[in-house]
Amino acid sequence: LLSQGHQMVHYTLTLGARHAGWQYPDGDGYAWLPLPSAMQVNSVQTYHAAGLAGIGLIQAGYTALAPHIQSGALVEVLPHLRPEPLPASFVVTHRRNLSPRVRVFMAWIEGLLKPYLD
């Protein structure tokens, strides 16, 4: 439960859309806990900034926020309820006919993103 005065910052793709609340792992899926909102944003940068400003709780990707957690600017709550990482994939028409340029690009992107995807 949130103590009095603590609320969430809700992230949504469409401002004004109804937000379900706090998402958490529940068995083989996820469940939602409705929580009050201090504000609603549709920008990841604004979402992170609201959390850093202390406006409310945010539920965002760990990798992007890790430096802020390590510095003490943010405090992780409920680390045992982190969602599973999302998969990332390349979509190509035919893997066996990839041009050398596409293969080099895929290897470059994979190397570039690997620290953020582990």
Side-chain angles (χ1 to χ4, degrees):
L1 295 176
L2 296 175
S3 63
Q4 188 175 21
H6 290 86
Q7 295 186 4
M8 283 194 67
V9 175
H10 288 304
Y11 176 84
T12 183
L13 293 175
T14 306
L15 288 178
R18 191 175 195 194
H19 195 280
W22 188 272
Q23 183 182 24
Y24 62 94
D26 185 26
D28 291 337
Y30 291 91
W32 291 91
L33 176 64
L35 293 175
S37 173
M39 68 186 296
Q40 184 179 37
V41 300
N42 68 345
S43 158
V44 172
Q45 293 82 4
T46 305
Y47 190 55
H48 292 178
L52 287 163
I55 294 173
L57 294 172
I58 62 173
Q59 187 176 25
Y62 182 83
T63 305
L65 299 177
H68 300 297
I69 293 168
Q70 291 165 357
S71 75
L74 290 175
V75 176
E76 183 178 12
V77 296
L78 306 173
H80 62 287
L81 291 179
R82 281 188 198 163
E84 290 295 317
L86 297 173
S89 302
F90 287 105
V91 178
V92 294
T93 54
H94 297 286
R95 186 175 187 97
R96 66 177 182 257
N97 295 330
L98 289 180
S99 73
R101 288 181 181 180
V102 172
R103 290 181 193 277
V104 168
F105 175 76
M106 288 172 60
W108 175 73
I109 288 290
E110 184 178 355
L112 189 68
L113 296 178
K114 186 162 180 52
Y116 303 101
L117 300 175
D118 288 337

